[in-house]
Amino acid sequence: MNIAVDLGGTNVRVGLVEEDRIIRLLSEPCHASGPENEVVDQISSMISALLRDGQVKGIGIGVPSVVDVEKGIVYDVIGIPSWKEVHLKELLEARFALPVFINNDCNCFALGVSRFGEARGVHEAVGVTLGTGVGSSLVIDGRLYCGHNTGAGEIGNIPYLDKDYEFYCSSRFFVSRGTSGRDAEHDAAAGIPGALALMEEFGTHVGRLVKVIMYAFDPNVIVFGGSIANAFDLFKGSMYAELSTFPYRKSLNRLRICRSMTPNIGILGASSLCD
C-alpha cells in the first residue's frame, strides 16, 4: 500500500492506495493562506489518519509547481503563496520514516492515465489538464519524461496571440469573457447560443494547442483532464475543425484524443511514484 497526496491551492486530497484501488480517500479545503508550516501540518495530519503500521511502503505527492525530484524540494506552489521553497521530502520523511516521492501534479495525472487509465499500454502519451491553468506532461513507455525540475512539456506557457496558451485554454479564458468554465458548460449544454459560441471559440484555441503538442511530441494519444475537460463534448467539434488543417495527415489519423473518465486518476498517479 501507498499513501498518495494531491495538493492544490483549493483542496488537499489524500488517499490510501493498494495497486489500482483507492481504499480510503480524505479531502479538506487547503489552508492555502496560512504560513508554510500550517499546510505541512495539514498534510501530515491527513497522512497520519490513513497510516497503517507496517503496511504503507511510501508516500507519493503531486503538487502544482516545479519540483526538484531528487531532493524533494517544491518551488513557488500555485495557489499557496507561502510555499516559495519547501523541502517537503525532508520534512515528511523525518515525520513518518517512510520514503517520500514528489512530482508535479500534471505529471501525476499523466502517469495515472498511462498506467491505469485511457493511455494504458500506449507507447507515447501526453496528459493535458485544463482547469485554472494548463498543464501538460509526456509519458514514454510508461515512464515520465520530466526534464529538469519537472518542467518538460509545459506548453501552456508558450506565447500565443497577445498572451499565452494557458490564458486561452483554461478557466481564465471564460473569466475574461465575464463567466466561468462551469457556467459556460451549463449554458452551452442547455443550448444557449452565446455559450455555444463561446465553447466553439474555446475549442479552436484548444485545437491550436493540440497542434503544438503534435509538432513537439507526435504522441499516440492525448488525454485531457481537469475541470474544463468535463465540457469536452461541447468544444471538441471546433477543436477537430482546427486540427483538420494540420499538415501531417499520417500523424493526425493515428492520433487519439479523449478525456479521462477514471476517477481520482491524479491520486493513482501520485501513488505510482512510489513504485
Side-chain angles (χ1 to χ4, degrees):
M1 292 184 187
N2 300 317
I3 286 179
V5 180
D6 182 10
L7 175 64
T10 302
N11 295 300
V12 182
R13 299 188 306 144
V14 181
L16 179 65
V17 181
E18 184 172 21
E19 296 180 351
D20 61 349
R21 296 186 302 116
I22 299 175
I23 297 172
R24 188 180 174 199
L25 183 66
L26 303 177
S27 180
E28 295 181 3
C30 181
H31 300 170
S33 60
E36 174 187 315
N37 66 299
E38 184 176 341
V39 182
V40 174
D41 288 343
Q42 180 183 21
I43 295 170
S44 299
S45 176
M46 296 174 73
I47 290 172
S48 295
L50 296 182
L51 271 179
R52 297 187 179 185
D53 291 342
Q55 297 184 52
V56 174
K57 298 178 180 179
I59 300 169
I61 305 175
V63 296
S65 67
V66 294
V67 181
D68 181 326
V69 173
E70 182 178 344
K71 296 180 180 178
I73 304 172
V74 300
Y75 299 95
D76 302 314
V77 177
I78 296 172
I80 307 178
S82 64
W83 277 37
K84 299 299 183 185
E85 180 179 326
V86 182
H87 294 239
L88 191 58
K89 176 181 174 72
E90 179 182 339
L91 290 169
L92 294 181
E93 287 187 342
R95 295 192 187 198
F96 296 108
L98 288 169
V100 175
F101 305 89
I102 305 170
N103 215 305
N104 171 268
D105 57 351
C106 186
N107 285 354
C108 290
F109 166 76
L111 193 59
V113 296
S114 177
R115 295 190 178 182
F116 307 107
E118 291 73 13
R120 191 169 186 173
V122 174
H123 290 298
E124 299 94 16
V126 172
V128 180
T129 52
L130 306 176
T132 54
V134 174
S136 176
S137 299
L138 176 65
V139 179
I140 303 172
D141 291 331
R143 297 178 63 86
L144 282 169
Y145 177 75
C146 296
H148 191 64
N149 286 345
T150 70
E154 292 295 349
I155 57 175
N157 298 121
I158 293 176
Y160 170 60
L161 298 179
D162 58 329
K163 293 184 173 61
D164 57 19
Y165 279 98
E166 184 163 85
F167 180 87
Y168 285 95
C169 299
S170 72
S171 62
R172 294 165 61 190
F173 168 79
F174 297 100
V175 171
S176 73
R177 300 299 197 273
T179 185
S180 68
R182 179 175 296 180
D183 288 344
E185 177 188 356
H186 177 271
D187 292 347
I192 296 175
L196 288 169
L198 194 61
M199 277 295 173
E200 182 176 357
E201 182 184 353
F202 179 76
T204 297
H205 296 308
V206 173
R208 293 171 184 169
L209 179 74
V210 171
K211 283 182 179 179
V212 173
I213 294 173
M214 291 298 293
Y215 283 125
F217 304 127
D218 190 21
N220 298 107
V221 61
I222 297 172
V223 184
F224 287 114
S227 58
I228 299 178
N230 294 330
F232 183 67
D233 288 343
L234 295 169
F235 66 75
K236 68 179 183 182
S238 55
M239 178 193 75
Y240 279 116
E242 178 64 30
L243 284 175
S244 68
T245 64
F246 188 75
Y248 304 125
R249 303 303 304 176
K250 187 77 171 177
S251 295
L252 191 61
N253 291 340
R254 174 181 44 77
L255 176 67
R256 178 166 60 92
I257 305 175
C258 61
R259 74 178 180 96
S260 176
M261 303 295 288
T262 307
N264 300 307
I265 195 66
I267 290 284
L268 293 174
S271 174
S272 68
L273 295 173
C274 304
D275 299 337

